[in-house]
Amino acid sequence: MCQLLGMNCATPTDITFSFRGFSQRAGITSDHSDGFGIAFFEDKACRLFVDNQSAVESPIAELIRNYPIKSRNVIAHIRKATQGKITLENSHPFIRELWGRQWIFAHNGDLHGFDPKLTGKFTPVGNTDSERSFCYLLDQLVAKFGFVEPSLEEIFSVLEEISPKVAEYGTFNFCLSNGKALFSYATTKLHWIVREYPFKPARLIDLDVEVDFSAVTTPDDRVAVITTEPLTDNEQWQAYQPGEMILFQHGKPIQHATTHVERLAREAADPSLKRVTKADQY
Amino acid sequence: MCQLLGMNCATPTDITFSFRGFSQRAGITSDHSDGFGIAFFEDKACRLFVDNQSAVESPIAELIRNYPIKSRNVIAHIRKATQGKITLENSHPFIRELWGRQWIFAHNGDLHGFDPKLTGKFTPVGNTDSERSFCYLLDQLVAKFGFVEPSLEEIFSVLEEISPKVAEYGTFNFCLSNGKALFSYATTKLHWIVREYPFKPARLIDLDVEVDFSAVTTPDDRVAVITTEPLTDNEQWQAYQPGEMILFQHGKPIQHATTHVERLAREAADPSLKRVTKADQY
């Protein structure tokens, strides 16, 4: 399994504070120590850092904690390998280009027996269910819109339709960004928060660090943070409902949908109802 | 303009020695200080580091000089912006996935008026002639082979046919790798060397550093280094002929071709013959 961290901002913002807390979970406050990755968008392009060392020990993670890279869209992932090799090709986040933009995807959860026919336009490099689901989502977007870039709302409508179908194979919590906005979806666990004017102090759960955001921000700043488990203990994090999809842009939610909520709620109450087609291979 | 560095090895090798000398050219021994990038393959996947700071000052370049990442295929690039913005999306090397592998491309030279019709399968994220030529090469490979991965020899035969056509638009020196092998092509300037048993000392030109490779290698090691300008002054570097293409695998050249050599030689003797269709826009 793993943990996700996403950030979507109105103005380019560095993720140093959140990443410091988040990366503690890679061996100190939790045991997600089998590699990490983080992607920072700058407009349509993105920097992707991955390492198969833990985010506590990796020199690359150390660089990121100390070198503030400002970005409007960031996605990070720390991994606890339950099954499957710790290789670079299986490291989240994954990257693909579509419509002249990079796309970044990170997934939390396991999909069982998810092996859809892919067109070949996007082919997994590694052998995770996660990268396969990413390629499948992009394939579906191309099937719908061809090579002409649609609006965010049109993309949302396809993701809203497709994601519950993928979620039939297991747990499907993800963050997806094209540098313009951040799409998020949860079937079991994801939380979000928006920090905006008037800013307040925030205190990390995983590390004895507090930042008073009012001292380091301007009224134009606004930051949405999305994460598996809340990062601070003095802010009000919102839990995603099972099957909830949220699109963030300019540091705030701009579109919500709840998909197949009833079925997911039934399964949450009685896990034996969950459709599992074959054993986890990854 | 810019400078290229490629490495192809029989066994995973770190590029620390060559990169230390190469990165001096980003401000110390030369003025290629407008960003840098380096990609390290691990099997089919790759780590790509880019920064719009110079390779002398960038904390990311400093990390790479000190954190030996072992790889069989590496491509690096330092940039001197003659025209065009210094943005992440215009930073080499460029990355795309094809046939379930990442592909990495870096280019030295300017292409004038090169604006071919692309299918949409690969679309430039930035606005460089270089990324456009990369997308065009990949498009041509898909046009020929579809989504079924061909052999290296088959790929070579397409690149051998297409590269001279791109080179009609200007200078086209490149390194291209899919993690399995490294394709290189030069119309004006590129050099290569193979280091193998019995290894000897090598002394950098750009920095007062000498390494005795015989002390740090085994007889199984073999490394091919490809670079715009030779990196050492006590080794025998081979200059590419104009229009020469070389495929490296397992640390040695496995296939050579010379394309349109006569025309390029004529142009080298008399630059006024060179076909330039419109002013450099990038």
Side-chain angles (χ1 to χ4, degrees), chain B:
Chain B
M1 298 295 285
C2 61
Q3 291 206 11
L4 299 176
L5 172 64
M7 184 175 79
N8 170 269
C9 316
T11 55
T13 305
D14 80 70
I15 199 170
T16 313
F17 174 75
S18 294
F19 187 70
R20 284 187 70 187
F22 183 69
S23 63
Q24 287 290 301
R25 298 176 183 175
I28 308 287
T29 55
S30 185
D31 56 353
H32 294 75
S33 51
D34 300 319
F36 87 101
I38 186 165
F40 300 85
F41 274 96
E42 290 179 24
D43 191 10
K44 300 181 289 178
C46 125
R47 299 180 210 236
L48 172 59
F49 299 90
V50 283
D51 205 353
N52 42 20
Q53 288 191 61
S54 82
V56 170
E57 290 171 356
S58 160
I60 298 173
E62 182 65 16
L63 173 85
I64 289 159
R65 278 188 293 272
N66 295 314
Y67 180 40
I69 298 175
K70 295 203 170 192
S71 173
R72 282 194 177 86
N73 288 283
V74 178
I75 293 177
H77 181 274
I78 51 176
R79 183 167 183 222
K80 178 183 177 184
T82 46
Q83 299 183 34
K85 283 196 292 184
I86 304 168
T87 57
L88 190 66
E89 65 201 39
N90 288 342
S91 295
H92 304 226
F94 300 103
I95 187 169
R96 290 294 185 283
E97 174 266 314
L98 174 60
W99 300 318
R101 300 185 152 271
Q102 297 294 358
W103 287 72
I104 289 286
F105 176 84
H107 167 224
N108 157 253
D110 285 316
L111 299 171
H112 302 274
F114 179 69
D115 194 16
K117 190 163 168 51
L118 297 171
T119 61
K121 162 89 180 83
F122 306 97
T123 305
V125 174
N127 59 357
T128 62
D129 50 353
S130 306
E131 191 185 12
R132 199 173 306 129
S133 68
F134 179 34
C135 292
Y136 178 72
L137 292 179
L138 296 180
D139 251 359
Q140 294 297 310
L141 289 171
V142 171
K144 179 78 176 181
F145 303 112
F147 289 122
V148 180
E149 185 177 8
S151 68
L152 290 174
E153 292 68 26
E154 289 172 309
I155 296 168
F156 188 93
S157 71
V158 169
L159 294 176
E160 182 188 348
E161 184 191 330
I162 301 298
S163 301
K165 294 182 184 169
V166 179
E168 291 185 12
Y169 293 83
T171 306
F172 198 43
N173 306 313
F174 73 72
C175 288
L176 171 71
S177 180
N178 62 354
K180 198 186 269 187
L182 193 150
F183 301 86
S184 60
Y185 183 68
T187 57
T188 58
K189 191 184 282 185
L190 211 50
H191 296 81
W192 64 277
I193 196 172
V194 167
R195 297 187 182 124
E196 60 191 336
Y197 184 83
F199 288 93
K200 291 174 186 162
R203 189 174 57 232
L204 289 177
I205 292 172
D206 299 86
L207 201 63
D208 187 17
V209 169
E210 181 170 312
V211 166
D212 182 1
F213 283 116
S214 69
V216 292
T217 49
T218 72
D220 292 336
D221 289 326
R222 188 172 49 236
V223 176
V225 180
I226 300 102
T227 183
T228 301
E229 298 278 7
L231 289 164
T232 57
D233 59 11
N234 63 338
E235 298 181 297
Q236 202 63 44
W237 293 79
Q238 312 277 323
Y240 284 65
Q241 293 175 53
E244 187 170 7
M245 180 170 284
I246 310 180
L247 172 59
F248 293 91
Q249 194 179 28
H250 308 308
K252 63 181 179 187
I254 60 164
Q255 200 166 348
H256 277 266
T258 45
T259 68
H260 67 330
V261 175
E262 284 183 18
R263 177 174 71 74
L264 287 165
R266 272 201 312 278
E267 289 177 4
D270 180 358
S272 70
L273 293 173
K274 195 152 189 75
R275 242 187 286 181
V276 174
T277 49
K278 64 177 179 175
D280 182 7
Q281 299 179 312
Y282 310 108

